[in-house]
Amino acid sequence: MPHHTVVVVSLGYESYAIERGILKAVDAELVLPPRDCLTENEVIAAAREADAILVREAPVSGRVLDALPRCKAIVRYGVGVDNIDLEHARKRRVYVANIPGYGTEEVSDHAAALLLACIRRLRTRDANLRRGCFETDIREPIFRTTGKTLGLIGYGQIGRALHRKWKGFLPQRVLVFDPFAPAEMIRQNAAEPVDLDTLFTESDYISLHAPLTPQTRHIVNTENLGRTKPTAILVNTARGDLIDEQALVKALGEGRLAAAGLDVFEKEPLAPDHPLIRLPNVVLSGHVGWYSKDAVNELQTRGAQEIVRVLSGGVPQCWVNRW
């Protein structure tokens, strides 16, 4: 019999051969439940005998942790760990690890793609052409990227990657709001550290790259949207709850904001009758900014490696609930 049991409580990948191959080093069997675990009870039922679990969005609450007496490690396939009770895991001495940086290039690419799609009005252009309208005279206002001001809310790995890529469009200014990023580092990257009011007031394009915290929830709200230029464009590839969607819908509908490109939402999946879907000046994608074949390979590889570290008596490389 295998020495350890590792359970994947959140399904979704084509194959788990990567994990199985890596876990052989510690004589660990990888177990897949019959279906994706969406509730606490389903996680408990699937992982009751687990020595470690791999999780995406499934809830790992204090109640779940108390029901997993053998569990030594929880590894999140991704970056955000708000579905895991970190403090309770710390009390129980259960290591929690995530996989930062796996999708930096993908998410920053996606933010740039959404922004360019909004700038060039590609949704309207595509829809009109499919209806038989071949346009050479565009009635919607379209502005160039060169010489505009990009505002970045959050200047971590992904925000910095988008900045690096956007330099090719020759922005006039790049404004950064991030209370945790050293001002000197921002300036060294040819950007300007600013307060939130300045960023919303002076940016032509605003891209969100902040983590979700009590301080950043609804950082895009009625008050801040009231400061934007009517030609401004907003992009969100970070967390849906950074935006008050009702306020955003109102601003877009009233022409106080030109367009928005959104990959994440307050409630996912996005309801088919959500008002954002009906707005012609919104480009939408379903939380896929992180995805590429390469990113999935990295997630699965690094996730399994973290579990091997713990089951071998070590600590995770990306340990988030340190004690």
Side-chain angles (χ1 to χ4, degrees):
M1 290 182 64
H3 190 57
H4 300 291
T5 299
V6 179
V7 178
V8 179
V9 297
S10 300
L11 301 174
Y13 301 135
E14 294 177 8
S15 166
Y16 290 88
I18 290 173
E19 289 92 333
R20 287 194 170 95
I22 293 170
L23 291 170
K24 284 180 181 178
V26 288
D27 191 22
E29 177 188 16
L30 189 75
V31 176
L32 306 180
R35 61 180 180 276
D36 202 14
C37 298
L38 302 177
T39 67
E40 292 180 1
N41 286 343
E42 288 173 337
V43 175
I44 292 169
R48 196 182 301 274
E49 302 301 319
D51 296 290
I53 64 174
L54 287 153
V55 60
R56 292 170 70 189
E57 290 83 19
V60 186
S61 64
R63 174 173 170 260
V64 170
L65 287 161
D66 287 341
L68 309 181
R70 292 175 49 179
C71 187
K72 301 177 183 68
I74 301 162
V75 177
R76 167 76 160 91
Y77 279 128
V79 180
V81 289
D82 42 296
N83 58 319
I84 303 169
D85 189 331
L86 298 180
E87 183 57 34
H88 202 80
R90 183 183 295 113
K91 289 177 181 176
R92 292 189 60 88
R93 292 297 190 263
V94 176
Y95 294 100
V96 178
N98 64 354
I99 315 295
Y102 78 94
T104 296
E105 298 305 319
E106 285 79 3
V107 178
S108 55
D109 283 351
H110 203 78
L114 287 173
L115 183 49
L116 287 168
C118 289
I119 292 170
R120 298 304 304 168
R121 305 278 182 164
L122 291 187
R123 180 184 172 190
T124 307
R125 304 282 75 75
D126 180 87
N128 287 353
L129 186 59
R130 290 174 190 273
R131 287 198 298 266
C133 177
F134 193 92
E135 301 168 288
T136 56
D137 181 18
I138 308 298
R139 291 183 173 84
E140 288 180 311
I142 294 177
F143 300 96
R144 63 179 50 155
T145 55
T146 302
K148 302 299 181 182
T149 297
L150 173 67
L152 300 172
I153 298 178
Y155 203 58
Q157 291 186 39
I158 297 171
R160 295 196 302 274
L162 176 61
H163 182 189
R164 165 171 50 84
K165 293 168 184 178
W166 201 256
K167 287 177 181 178
F169 291 100
L170 305 178
Q172 183 182 50
R173 301 166 70 199
V174 176
L175 309 181
V176 173
F177 172 77
D178 189 331
F180 302 101
E184 187 56 33
M185 180 267 286
I186 294 171
R187 293 189 186 98
Q188 286 174 353
N189 286 347
E192 304 171 39
V194 297
D195 59 33
L196 204 56
D197 290 359
T198 300
L199 188 141
F200 274 100
T201 301
E202 300 185 12
S203 296
D204 296 295
Y205 312 130
I206 300 170
S207 190
L208 305 182
H209 301 285
L212 179 61
T213 67
Q215 292 73 35
T216 61
R217 184 178 184 275
H218 285 185
I219 198 168
V220 178
N221 51 37
T222 299
E223 183 179 3
N224 286 328
L225 287 169
R227 297 187 173 96
T228 60
K229 302 175 183 180
T231 54
I233 293 171
L234 175 72
V235 166
N236 188 12
T237 54
R239 289 289 181 265
D241 283 325
L242 297 178
I243 296 177
D244 179 341
E245 287 177 0
Q246 286 188 333
L248 177 62
V249 167
K250 195 167 189 295
L252 288 164
E254 294 176 353
R256 292 185 284 108
L257 189 69
L262 307 173
D263 184 55
V264 289
F265 307 93
E266 287 189 278
K267 185 175 181 182
E268 297 180 357
L270 192 66
D273 60 347
H274 196 289
L276 284 169
I277 292 176
R278 298 194 297 271
L279 290 172
N281 52 346
V282 181
V283 178
L284 303 171
S285 59
H287 206 146
V288 295
W290 65 274
Y291 178 78
S292 73
K293 290 284 189 180
D294 308 278
V296 171
N297 186 300
E298 183 175 343
L299 268 178
Q300 294 184 269
T301 299
R302 289 173 59 191
Q305 288 171 342
E306 290 286 48
I307 287 177
V308 167
R309 289 186 184 97
V310 174
L311 296 184
S312 299
V315 300
Q317 193 173 68
C318 300
W319 180 12
V320 298
N321 66 329
R322 293 178 180 270
W323 54 79

